[in-house]
Amino acid sequence: MADSLEHLAGRLLIQCRPADAEAVLPIAREHETGIVLTGPSPETAVRRLRGQGFDGPILCDADRYSGKKRARASRGTHPAWCRRQRDLELIPLTDSGYLPPRDLIGLRTILRAAAREPQPVVAVLPLAARWFAKPAICDALTREINRFGAPVALVLEHAKDPFGAQYVLRGVLRLLANSTVRVVLLRSDVSAIGVLCHGAHAAAVGTSSTLRHLYPVTARGGAPRPGVSPFVTRLLGYHRLETCADLFAETPDMAHLWECPCPICEGAAPDWLENAGSPAEAAFCHSLHCLFAFKAELSRHCHTREQLLSAWHEACSHALFVHDQLAETRKRWTRPANLHSWYAVTDDPLPHRAGGIPPQPGAVRPGRATRSTPGPRPR
């Protein structure tokens, strides 16, 4: 098999639809990472990627667990889906259905099917947030995972951001600490880097909002209306283009924070992406470059796990400081719940360490000279 679980170790993966595979291919190559193709028919995209010489890891997420017609875990998985992935020389992911709270029968159905397959195979666990509501429930989940022994890929359902709920973050960290199998996180955002720092085997960041979240199905539907939201490194979060335009225009004294050195922006603030030929594609390419640059900067001076955890904790702290400054001048500006959770739930293991912190997500410092924001890049 061309891929192996070891090839995934420590990687920040790119999760996309097959239609976007060629757009993310140069980024995956540049950052030596893998791609998670999301949808029921990935074969053409896989063959096209391999035909263009891409030899990085490719995973296939069937995505049966999302949307109004999502399958339930108790309906089981399909061995044919795993065979299709093996025929492509990939590590199979199970085509799991959704796991509502405390659905132990559905959980065991997924894990048992994965354990019976020729190894390796990864059991996808699309979990309701309430699986992490209490330590006892989380521990029962972890025991079942450990008992069957197959590696797992978590997908976390939440109406907003699962890591913005402190009980979810505590539960995920508890699972990572007590699991005896490899744990991957799918369908996430910047928190993917946080879980990598805390011991996840790999984690995937999505190219769109619907691939960075698993939204509950409600009477009004599931996912909120789509929009173009580029990642803003200094804020460690995604913000809609219209929000970016207003924010950058209203904070000329902070212009140096918004300039983006990624290959897409080349020094411009990312609100220029509204004028790109395809704003959505330009935004997710910009966002991916920024996330990989942030991850590289975070770990550049870290030689131990404690240093890495400390760097992530301080990065969250500094981003929150920038948000607090914005809240002083902008009405209804609030701290992002996920960063607040990471800062509140975790501790800095090296609070008195000497030396600086990674400069990429740095805070505004009093007395720093400012520069004007460059105009949109000509196209």
Side-chain angles (χ1 to χ4, degrees), residues 88-285:
L88 296 167
E89 298 188 307
L90 306 179
I91 296 173
L93 303 185
T94 60
D95 60 339
S96 309
Y98 169 69
L99 277 162
R102 303 193 188 211
D103 181 8
L104 283 174
I105 293 175
L107 175 65
R108 289 166 182 160
T109 298
I110 295 172
L111 293 172
R112 184 179 295 111
R116 287 174 175 173
E117 288 282 338
Q119 297 301 308
V121 63
V122 179
V124 176
L125 302 181
L127 296 159
R130 301 303 295 177
W131 278 95
F132 302 99
K134 296 180 179 179
I137 302 173
C138 180
D139 289 346
L141 170 65
T142 306
R143 282 196 301 271
E144 295 295 329
I145 291 172
N146 291 344
R147 181 163 72 92
F148 285 96
V152 298
L154 308 180
V155 183
L156 306 177
E157 181 196 51
H158 197 271
K160 295 180 179 179
D161 183 336
F163 291 99
Q166 292 186 23
Y167 75 88
V168 175
L169 177 55
R170 288 191 184 94
V172 170
L173 296 180
R174 188 180 184 95
L175 187 152
L176 288 174
N178 297 319
S179 176
T180 57
V181 304
R182 294 179 177 90
V183 179
V184 176
L185 176 69
L186 298 179
R187 230 169 171 126
S188 191
D189 52 21
V190 70
S191 289
I193 297 175
V195 299
L196 285 174
C197 294
H198 281 265
H201 189 66
V205 60
T207 55
S208 66
S209 178
T210 54
L211 292 179
R212 292 190 290 270
H213 301 87
L214 173 60
Y215 293 105
V217 176
T218 66
R220 295 180 298 172
R225 68 179 180 86
V228 178
S229 300
F231 184 75
V232 182
T233 301
R234 299 291 186 170
L235 300 176
L236 288 190
Y238 293 81
H239 296 271
R240 288 182 178 269
L241 279 173
E242 54 268 31
T243 302
C244 291
D246 292 343
L247 172 64
F248 302 161
E250 293 172 10
T251 55
D253 58 327
M254 300 168 73
H256 58 285
L257 295 182
W258 315 135
E259 297 165 7
C260 177
C262 85
I264 307 300
C265 296
E266 296 181 341
D271 58 336
W272 84 267
L273 294 165
E274 185 176 6
N275 301 316
S278 174
E281 181 176 320
F284 77 62
C285 289

Side-chain angles (χ1 to χ4, degrees), residues 290-338:
C290 290
L291 284 161
F292 283 110
F294 169 59
K295 179 177 181 288
E297 187 63 39
L298 197 71
S299 59
R300 182 164 298 159
H301 305 292
C302 297
H303 306 290
T304 66
R305 183 172 184 270
E306 287 74 17
Q307 289 174 330
L308 189 60
L309 294 175
S310 181
W312 168 249
H313 192 271
E314 290 196 35
C316 293
S317 172
H318 284 195
L320 287 169
F321 177 69
V322 179
H323 282 283
D324 287 345
Q325 287 199 315
L326 294 176
E328 293 176 2
T329 58
R330 301 197 83 224
K331 292 182 179 179
R332 296 187 297 276
W333 190 270
T334 59
R335 285 180 156 204
N338 63 332

